[in-house]
Amino acid sequence: MTGLGAHLDAVRARIDAAARAAGRDPAAVSLLAVSKTRPAADVRELAALGQLDFGENRAQELIGKAGELADLPVRWHFIGQLQRNKAAAVARLGAVVHSVDRTSLAQALSRAGEAAQRPVDLLLQVDLGGPEGELGARGGAAPDDVPGLADAVAELPGVRLRGLMAVAPRGEEPGPAFARLAALADRVRAEHPGAVELSAGMSGDLEEAVAAGATIVRVGTALFGRRPLASPHDT
Ligand SMILES: *Cc1c(COP(=O)(O)O)cnc(C)c1O
């Protein structure tokens, strides 16, 4: 088996073990392979092994790869900061947008979803703060603003509110941060029953995220190896 196949098996085994340890059904946690900076050939190889969800964090790279791989039944996810002027192109690809943190972006996606006659599935990105509790380090809406943002997004005709997403803060144990996220997700779901997804956990902390209830883990490094170059768009 090639390196990618072995890595995929290892990551799936980690997810299964974490789900079982938490008393959860492993099938309730889906793996999003974060293919940012990786060649389209790697995506093709993983797709042949049955991995069909892929995440990108730059619109240009997503558009290019989706074009090269248009023959594959892959589902694209957008996990980076999205400019409003790229919303339509991302929406046309049918991508799930995990990183909505303001109403203006949701409105742009809604217009794009209406134009494409296909609603855009989106998640609200939550800023879990830094080690001192400061916000703004890694993108996302402040937790206190999320319920109001969810209410506003739910009114838009061209999008569907599917849940919440977050990146664990640096320099803090991920478990308590993910627990705060899960509590916020419960609150949002009480008002918006379709907001079932919790996108949390990466290569280094997927176990803690699954324990807290993640339904989507976003894994790059553990699948593909270390990224060759740190890009300014990396989080
Ligand atoms: C790059 C990235 C990931 C994957 O991180 P790894 O540590 O490489 O697994 C997950 N989520 C977001 C938002 C990212 O930008």
Side-chain angles (χ1 to χ4, degrees):
M1 186 178 292
T2 69
L4 279 180
H7 289 171
L8 179 60
D9 285 350
V11 169
R12 284 187 176 148
R14 280 177 64 188
I15 293 170
D16 282 16
R20 290 211 174 80
R24 300 183 56 206
D25 177 0
V29 184
S30 74
L31 170 61
L32 173 53
V34 177
S35 50
K36 65 189 185 194
T37 78
R38 315 294 177 175
D42 284 5
V43 173
R44 192 173 285 285
E45 191 175 335
L46 280 181
L49 297 169
Q51 171 63 37
L52 294 177
D53 287 281
F54 292 91
E56 292 285 337
N57 70 340
R58 301 178 67 177
Q60 277 316 325
E61 189 175 344
L62 168 62
I63 292 161
K65 253 175 236 178
E68 273 185 71
L69 300 169
D71 58 310
L72 297 180
V74 303
R75 286 179 295 268
W76 294 103
H77 300 248
F78 193 81
I79 61 171
Q81 302 211 0
L82 182 58
Q83 305 303 319
R84 267 183 290 166
N85 62 5
K86 301 277 171 53
V90 169
R92 269 195 299 276
L93 297 172
V96 180
V97 180
H98 289 227
S99 45
V100 173
D101 59 1
R102 55 196 191 281
T103 310
S104 58
L105 176 57
Q107 287 167 333
L109 288 167
S110 179
R111 285 190 293 272
E114 284 191 290
Q117 295 189 326
R118 162 152 76 165
V120 179
D121 282 339
L122 62 77
L123 285 71
L124 303 181
Q125 185 176 351
V126 182
D127 186 350
L128 293 175
E132 311 298 328
E134 75 272 21
L135 298 178
R138 314 195 76 176
D144 286 347
D145 294 340
V146 168
L149 181 57
D151 292 344
V153 165
E155 296 294 314
L156 297 171
V159 297
R160 292 193 299 197
L161 176 61
R162 299 294 293 146
L164 302 185
M165 176 275 228
V167 178
R170 286 185 218 273
E172 184 193 331
E173 282 295 315
F178 289 143
R180 295 200 299 278
L181 175 68
L184 187 58
D186 283 345
R187 217 178 123 190
V188 169
R189 202 175 296 141
E191 298 292 326
H192 305 287
V196 293
E197 304 291 354
L198 190 57
S199 166
M202 319 199 310
S203 294
D205 56 19
L206 72 87
E207 283 82 3
E208 288 87 349
V210 170
T215 63
I216 302 172
V217 296
R218 309 178 307 268
V219 177
T221 308
L223 282 173
F224 297 101
R226 292 188 57 194
R227 282 178 287 280
L229 292 171
S231 102
H233 298 271
D234 262 11
T235 53

